Amino acid sequence: GAVVSQHPSRVICKSGTSVKIECRSLDFQATTMFWYRQFPKQSLMLMATSNEGSKATYEQGVEKDKFLINHASLTLSTLTVTSAHPEDSSFYICSARGTSRGTGELFFGEGSRLTVL
Amino acid sequence: QQQVKQSPQSLIVQKGGISIINCAYENTAFDYFPWYQQFPGKGPALLIAIRPDVSEKKEGRFTISFNKSAKQFSLHIMDSQPGDSATYFCAASIGTGGGNKLTFGTGTQLKVEL
């Protein structure tokens, strides 16, 4: 079964509204989570690294005031797309690295499809 | 800067054939090289991964070949099946654990025909 869960899987919103996407690690504690964005038929682009209890680290070119990340607990990170516009429509995917999983494997969520009208 | 280059962009293979996808990297500090499989509308799932201290790793029908001097690695899918039809991404990261941030290749869309 899935070890990283994302919600919602699909969301449609009007331009100018804010949308929150949740990423949960289901059977392990995740000190670090990563948020990716994927446009159709393209690769995954890392947006930011989310660390529990501290500020997220954003990749170059990603607006931190537009994509708010909160990693308030060891099992939950949230991505809020503020004042969404049609160009923000994309597939957002999170991944998590556990504190107890020695292999270092990253587990990915199922993704959240955002459509901004 | 594209640090991990992947080819081909798309691939059609007959059932039972061998699918081969290639990747090349630039950053010699990379020391973890996973391959991911992604079905439409789903997140990627780890298939197999290799570290630079070995030249080949095999898990079932999936094999990674790694050439450190050439900075290249490839995925071979033996006895390809229609259920293998998906998009495959190679990736690379720095650090002893796969938990460090990954740089992904551009992806290869594989279609296995009957």
Side-chain angles (χ1 to χ4, degrees), chain A residues 10 32 34 36 38 41-46 49 59 91 93 97 103-111 113, chain B residues 9 32 36 38 41-46 51 87 89 96-107 109:
Chain A
R10 293 176 180 270
T32 303
F34 301 92
Y36 292 84
Q38 185 179 34
K41 297 190 182 299
Q42 293 191 23
S43 188
L44 286 79
M45 298 302 296
L46 180 65
T49 302
E59 295 300 302
F91 194 49
I93 308 171
R97 170 170 68 115
T103 63
E105 178 181 347
L106 273 177
F107 294 92
F108 284 82
E110 291 286 280
R113 172 79 57 194
Chain B
Q9 187 175 8
Y32 177 72
Y36 288 87
Q38 185 181 31
K42 301 294 184 182
L46 180 66
R51 299 191 187 280
T87 301
F89 293 96
T96 56
N100 291 302
K101 61 181 182 181
L102 290 166
T103 299
F104 282 88
T106 49
Q109 197 165 359

